[in-house]
């Protein structure tokens, strides 16, 4: 199984990098795991709606260029469906069972994801209504993917 995260922007904080690297190392026994970073669009602090749309569109195009037709795509979106860790694990297991060996998760930039990216996604997933920093979300997502594999393996890690 191949798991890919397509994310906007570079990860700068060493402590996030270290946490993600640890979970990526743990995941290596279950799947091929990689993170693909696309550049964020530089923009001033205060933007008009038209400027925001341009930023989102450029980031969205970069995201879509990193996804191929056979990938099953989860878009992280605040309005997506919340899942428990067990439900998420079951979903990952079923995807593998039914021939979806390439799974991609998309984390947008600070302005979110365009409709084009959301339409390309097979499903939208939410980690709650909290707004989390992009960098922290990468770490949380990576841990939850690892947790899903551990649940499916019957490991006590989940408890």
């Amino acid at each position: 199984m191949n798991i890919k995260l397509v994310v906007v922007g570079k990860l700068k904080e060493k402590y996030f990098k270290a946490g993600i690297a640890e979970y990526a190392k743990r995941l290596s026994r279950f799947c091929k795991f990689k993170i693909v970073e696309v550049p964020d669009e530089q923009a001033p602090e205060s933007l008009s709606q038209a400027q925001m749309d341009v930023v989102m569109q450029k980031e969205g195009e970069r995201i879509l260029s990193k996804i191929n037709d056979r990938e099953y795509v989860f878009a992280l979106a605040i309005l997506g469906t919340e899942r428990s860790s067990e439900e998420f694990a079951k979903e990952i297991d079923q995807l593998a069972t039914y021939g979806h060996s390439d799974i991609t998760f998309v984390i947008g930039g600070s302005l979110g994801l365009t409709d084009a990216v959301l339409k390309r996604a097979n499903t939208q997933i939410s980690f709650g209504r909290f707004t989390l920093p992009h960098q922290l979300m990468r770490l949380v997502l990576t841990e939850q993917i690892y947790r899903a594999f551990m649940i499916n393996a019957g490991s006590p890690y989940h408890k």
Side-chain angles (χ1 to χ4, degrees):
M1 174 173 282
N2 299 303
I3 304 278
K4 177 171 68 177
L5 272 57
V6 178
V7 299
V8 174
K10 290 243 181 261
L11 192 58
K12 297 171 187 80
E13 296 83 355
K14 287 181 184 172
Y15 49 92
F16 286 134
K17 285 181 179 180
I20 290 167
E22 176 61 28
Y23 286 114
K25 184 176 85 177
R26 294 180 187 189
L27 274 166
S28 68
R29 66 186 252 224
F30 300 109
C31 65
K32 286 185 179 178
F33 178 80
K34 73 176 179 176
I35 297 175
V36 177
E37 294 178 332
V38 299
D40 54 347
E41 188 64 21
Q42 297 304 312
E45 270 308 303
S46 58
L47 298 171
S48 69
Q49 186 60 53
Q51 290 170 314
M52 283 191 245
D53 292 344
V54 168
V55 167
M56 286 175 61
Q57 182 185 349
K58 287 181 180 179
E59 290 176 350
E61 288 169 359
R62 291 176 190 145
I63 290 167
L64 290 171
S65 75
K66 302 299 180 187
I67 299 170
N68 67 47
D69 291 344
R70 72 177 186 281
E71 294 171 26
Y72 188 94
V73 178
F74 285 84
L76 275 68
I78 223 162
L79 298 177
T81 305
E82 292 183 38
R83 296 151 169 88
S84 68
S85 294
E86 295 86 356
E87 289 167 338
F88 182 56
K90 183 178 180 184
E91 192 170 3
I92 295 292
D93 189 50
Q94 288 178 336
L95 286 170
T97 300
Y98 294 106
H100 293 286
S101 59
D102 296 310
I103 299 173
T104 298
F105 294 86
V106 176
I107 302 175
S110 60
L111 298 176
L113 295 169
T114 61
D115 286 342
V117 174
L118 294 173
K119 284 181 182 141
R120 168 57 186 92
N122 298 87
T123 189
Q124 294 179 31
I125 186 169
S126 173
F127 282 76
R129 292 175 43 204
F130 286 116
T131 299
L132 296 174
H134 175 94
Q135 299 87 338
L136 178 58
M137 195 62 241
R138 280 197 216 186
L139 177 60
V140 170
L141 174 60
T142 305
E143 189 281 336
Q144 284 297 304
I145 293 167
Y146 173 69
R147 182 176 297 271
F149 279 104
M150 293 302 283
I151 289 168
N152 290 336
S155 166
Y157 172 84
H158 177 58
K159 302 296 175 208

